[in-house]
């Protein structure tokens, strides 16, 4: 699914109006009705007080459409117009007149008004500001926003939480609605997927408002939200006469005294994601652990007991993962550097291997065009330097990926795969996956896919999706708090089954509508 900029969203609206021969007001009515239908399905005329806070632009117009339809359906509503300017959009005024024609007059809120009472069991619909906001709200409007946030009511935002900017970081945190749920229009917004701005909506959903399909399909973008059908597009089915050699040989290099589990989980995950063969290269102290816990693996050991000191092997892997549990012993750092300089196989680089590279930046030229890097935020900072906000972070990460011709993952709630200028945000995963070993499993899943012949980019987006989906399925059994990294491994097969269980007809329809 594509992610559009503000300019592209406005162009989509414009072309929809032109090509479907409708007015801007009719498109607003369609959007508002879509939101109303969603609300009505959830409430089914439940007796609950609903407060609708509308601005005076098009987002406020959407809110007035929702308020009018709720009123006509018999809901108990109070509609307010936050009168922050003398300028009102044409379609806002049209819908203001329409609700008044029902003999209902929304309350005008100005700097001099008392704040309306909101009960903790009420619902608030936020339609104050839309995608065009580019400066903090006035102090009295901020007071309304804070009043809503402190009310304890369920807050539903229309399109985006009021106060957020579409393409820059917020500067005044107390001027943003904290929504429980956001109903956005047609496509996801980038700001929902970034840590600093995503916290302002607990959940979000993109509602189809019938924007021009041809434009949505053809309009280029460098930002995407990766869902099931995107991953199905790169999935490689298995032939009946294939064998273990067909699916490659994954080599996992890692482990040190006390951290053999990281290499073990990475190795198991590589096999569970489909690698035909898996070999673990570990210090001697891990030999019995790997052999006893993971009989499917082959094991090679370093000459040292507690750490890796010299990376040499007589096998021919098709892909290599290096870093989980590796440690930073002086001999390990040298062994890693020597290995990286001469290696020609595709790599997945994680954990301590990333930290070694961050301290020895000259090694980047040896992995150029041949590696996937999987840092968490702190490891990323060591690689690319600090950033002032999430937008700056993405720009620096894109530049790093482009300069070094590497696929870069930034792990998080919506793990983003960066392929030069392009950003791919993952749709799967849950907070239970914030647990030790989860990253080692991800590295193994990606390496297993890479071993099977997937490209660096394909292995990255598919691996992140499958890893997150396995976590989503596992958490249904374990609960968020009890989820472990080995649970994710156990449910990797279920994630593949889930990927493939949709029938061909549904898949084709999705492709046709892409």
């Amino acid at each position: 699914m594509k992610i559009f900029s503000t300019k592209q969203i406005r162009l989509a609206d414009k072309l929809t109006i032109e090509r479907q021969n409708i007015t801007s007001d009719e498109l607003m009515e369609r959007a508002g009705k879509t939101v109303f239908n969603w609300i009505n399905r959830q409430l089914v005329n439940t007796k609950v007080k609903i407060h609708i806070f509308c601005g005076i632009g098009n987002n406020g117009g959407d809110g007035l459409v929702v308020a009018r339809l709720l009123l006509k359906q018999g809901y108990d509503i109070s509609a307010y117009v936050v009168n922050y300017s003398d300028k009102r959009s044409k379609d806002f005024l049209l819908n203001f007149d329409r609700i008044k024609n029902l003999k209902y007059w929304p309350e005008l809120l100005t700097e001099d008004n008392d704040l309306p009472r909101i009960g903790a069991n009420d619902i608030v619909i936020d339609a104050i500001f839309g995608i065009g906001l580019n400066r903090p709200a006035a102090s009295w409007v901020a007071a309304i926003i804070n009043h809503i946030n402190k009310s304890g009511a369920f807050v539903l935002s229309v399109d985006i939480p009021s106060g957020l900017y579409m393409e820059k970081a917020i500067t005044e945190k107390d001027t943003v609605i904290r929504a429980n749920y956001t109903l956005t229009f047609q496509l996801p917004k980038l700001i929902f997927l970034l840590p600093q701005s995503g916290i302002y909506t607990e959940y979000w959903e993109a509602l189809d408002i019938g924007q021009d399909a041809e434009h949505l399909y053809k309009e280029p973008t460098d930002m995407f939200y990766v869902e099931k059908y995107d991953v199905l597009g790169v999935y490689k089915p298995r032939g009946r006469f294939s064998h273990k050699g067909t699916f490659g040989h994954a080599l996992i290099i890692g482990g040190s005294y006390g951290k053999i589990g990281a290499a073990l989980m990475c190795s198991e995950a590589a096999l569970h994601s489909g690698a035909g063969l898996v070999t673990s290269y570990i210090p001697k102290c891990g030999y019995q652990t790997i052999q006893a816990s993971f009989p499917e693996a082959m094991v090679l050991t370093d000459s040292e007991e507690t750490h890796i000191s010299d990376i040499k092997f007589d096998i021919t892997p098709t892909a290599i993962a290096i870093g989980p549990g590796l440690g930073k012993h002086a001999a390990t750092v040298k062994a890693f550097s020597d290995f990286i300089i001469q290696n020609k196989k595709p790599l997945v680089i994680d954990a301590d291997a990333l930290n070694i590279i961050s301290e020895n930046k000259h090694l980047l030229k040896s992995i150029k065009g041949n590696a996937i890097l999987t840092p968490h935020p702190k490891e990323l900072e060591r690689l690319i330097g600090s950033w002032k906000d999430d937008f700056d972070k993405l720009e620096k990460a894109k530049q790093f990926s482009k300069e070094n011709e590497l696929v870069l993952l930034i792990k998080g709630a919506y793990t983003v795969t960066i392929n030069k200028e392009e950003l791919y945000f993952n749709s799967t995963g849950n907070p239970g996956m914030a647990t030790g070993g989860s990253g080692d499993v991800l590295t193994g899943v990606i390496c297993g896919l890479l071993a099977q012949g997937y490209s660096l980019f394909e292995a990255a987006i598919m691996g992140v999706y499958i890893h997150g989906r396995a976590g989503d399925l596992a958490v249904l059994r374990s609960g968020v708090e009890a989820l472990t990294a080995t649970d994710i491994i156990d449910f990797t097969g279920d994630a593949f089954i889930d990927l493939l269980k949709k029938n061909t007809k549904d898949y084709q329809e999705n492709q046709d509508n892409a």
Side-chain angles (χ1 to χ4, degrees):
M1 187 182 292
K2 293 179 178 180
I3 301 170
F4 281 173
S5 66
T6 305
K7 183 178 179 181
Q8 288 174 309
I9 292 169
R10 286 175 171 156
L11 178 60
D13 285 343
K14 178 177 180 292
L15 292 177
T16 299
I17 291 165
E18 291 174 359
R19 293 175 179 177
Q20 297 181 13
N21 194 27
I22 61 174
T23 63
S24 58
D25 162 57
E26 287 174 311
L27 183 59
M28 180 177 286
E29 184 75 13
R30 186 190 295 176
K33 187 173 183 180
T34 304
V35 172
F36 162 76
N37 287 338
W38 187 96
I39 295 170
N40 194 40
R41 284 195 301 271
Q42 315 309 312
L43 297 181
V44 196
N45 290 328
T46 302
K47 300 301 179 184
V48 61
K49 181 69 176 181
I50 304 175
H51 305 265
I52 305 102
F53 288 82
C54 304
I56 54 176
N58 285 342
N59 192 251
D62 294 332
L64 287 175
V65 173
V66 176
R68 171 166 46 84
L69 295 173
L70 287 169
L71 186 66
K72 290 176 72 173
Q73 190 67 20
Y75 285 97
D76 180 13
I77 75 161
S78 289
Y80 315 93
V81 171
V82 183
N83 193 39
Y84 54 79
S85 172
D86 293 331
K87 297 178 181 179
R88 293 163 173 77
S89 77
K90 174 177 65 71
D91 292 333
F92 166 84
L93 289 172
L94 191 59
N95 280 289
F96 190 65
D97 288 339
R98 284 176 177 165
I99 197 168
K100 288 195 297 182
N101 288 338
L102 296 178
K103 307 302 181 184
Y104 182 89
W105 283 262
E107 182 180 347
L108 202 63
L109 297 180
T110 67
E111 190 171 359
D112 300 324
N113 285 91
D114 292 332
L115 296 173
R117 183 184 177 280
I118 305 171
N121 295 321
D122 296 348
I123 293 174
V124 170
I125 297 175
D126 155 45
I128 302 172
F129 298 122
I131 64 173
L133 187 70
N134 57 18
R135 64 181 184 273
S139 58
W140 69 271
V141 179
I144 293 174
I145 288 173
N146 275 307
H147 179 60
I148 293 170
N149 287 341
K150 292 176 180 178
S151 69
F154 181 91
V155 180
L156 177 72
S157 286
V158 176
D159 207 18
I160 66 171
S162 291
L164 281 181
Y165 309 135
M166 280 284 288
E167 286 153 5
K168 65 178 182 179
I170 57 170
T171 54
E172 303 291 335
K173 296 182 179 180
D174 291 335
T175 63
V176 184
I177 286 286
R178 290 186 174 270
N180 298 97
Y181 213 101
T182 297
L183 297 176
T184 199
F185 297 136
Q186 203 67 53
L187 299 174
K189 305 286 192 291
L190 173 63
I191 51 175
F192 300 160
L193 311 176
L194 303 178
Q196 291 174 337
S197 50
I199 59 172
Y200 292 97
T201 183
E202 197 171 350
Y203 300 98
W204 60 268
E205 184 176 340
L207 300 180
D208 184 358
I209 60 169
Q211 285 185 333
D212 183 71
E214 181 182 1
H215 173 69
L216 296 178
Y217 178 73
K218 291 184 176 179
E219 177 68 10
T221 183
D222 57 7
M223 299 184 294
F224 303 87
Y225 184 65
V226 179
E227 297 183 297
K228 173 181 284 192
Y229 292 106
D230 302 305
V231 176
L232 270 174
V234 301
Y235 174 74
K236 300 177 188 294
R238 296 198 165 198
R240 179 173 294 275
F241 295 100
S242 54
H243 52 84
K244 64 184 179 183
T246 308
F247 304 115
H249 189 164
L251 173 63
I252 310 301
I253 303 173
S256 56
Y257 185 79
K259 296 180 180 178
I260 295 300
L264 171 61
M265 288 185 289
C266 187
S267 300
E268 287 186 315
L271 193 69
H272 279 251
S273 66
L277 297 166
V278 175
T279 294
S280 303
Y281 189 99
I282 54 172
K284 283 184 178 179
C285 64
Y287 177 78
Q288 286 188 325
T289 299
I290 301 287
Q291 289 280 258
S293 303
F294 185 30
E296 295 90 347
M298 296 173 283
V299 182
L300 297 173
T301 61
D302 191 270
S303 58
E304 286 288 339
E305 182 72 25
T306 61
H307 59 273
I308 287 175
S309 64
D310 188 16
I311 303 173
K312 291 182 180 178
F313 44 84
D314 58 359
I315 62 173
T316 306
T318 48
I320 301 171
I322 187 165
L326 188 67
K328 290 173 58 183
H329 190 284
T332 304
V333 173
K334 183 179 184 309
F336 173 81
S337 300
D338 292 344
F339 165 73
I340 287 294
I341 290 169
Q342 57 81 36
N343 173 68
K344 302 298 180 186
K345 299 294 182 180
L347 293 168
V348 188
I349 301 177
D350 187 29
D352 286 320
L354 292 172
N355 294 326
I356 294 171
I357 288 175
S358 69
E359 295 168 5
N360 299 272
K361 294 286 179 62
H362 66 277
L363 294 175
L364 286 169
K365 65 183 179 183
S366 297
I367 60 174
K368 193 170 186 176
N370 199 35
I372 302 167
L373 276 57
T374 64
H376 58 56
K378 199 62 185 178
E379 291 165 344
L380 178 69
E381 185 178 4
R382 297 184 190 115
L383 285 169
I384 69 173
S386 59
W387 49 82
K388 61 182 180 181
D389 56 50
D390 285 339
F391 292 93
D392 185 41
K393 174 179 68 177
L394 291 179
E395 288 304 314
K396 288 184 175 180
K398 286 195 292 185
Q399 188 64 27
F400 180 88
S401 172
K402 186 176 179 180
E403 287 178 354
N404 297 289
E405 298 177 17
L406 301 169
V407 174
L408 180 65
L409 305 187
I410 304 177
K411 291 185 281 198
Y414 296 96
T415 294
V416 55
T417 299
I418 303 176
N419 188 27
K420 298 178 182 177
E421 293 289 339
E422 295 183 332
L423 305 174
Y424 295 82
F425 292 87
N426 185 50
S427 63
T428 58
N430 62 79
M433 297 174 72
T435 184
S438 180
D440 302 317
V441 174
L442 174 61
T443 296
V445 169
I446 294 172
C447 186
L449 294 169
L450 206 55
Q452 294 170 71
Y454 288 91
S455 69
L456 295 173
F457 167 69
E458 291 170 342
I461 62 165
M462 186 172 180
V464 171
Y465 178 90
I466 290 293
H467 176 258
R469 189 61 184 137
D472 288 340
L473 295 170
V475 82
L476 297 175
R477 181 187 70 179
S478 68
V480 174
E481 290 79 9
L483 184 66
T484 66
T486 50
D487 290 334
I488 300 171
I489 296 172
D490 291 343
F491 277 85
T492 301
D494 298 80
F496 277 102
I497 292 170
D498 180 75
L499 179 68
L500 298 171
K501 72 180 180 182
K502 277 284 188 180
N503 63 48
T504 305
K505 178 175 178 289
D506 288 343
Y507 173 63
Q508 189 58 53
E509 285 178 354
N510 188 280
Q511 293 296 95
D512 292 342
N513 294 326

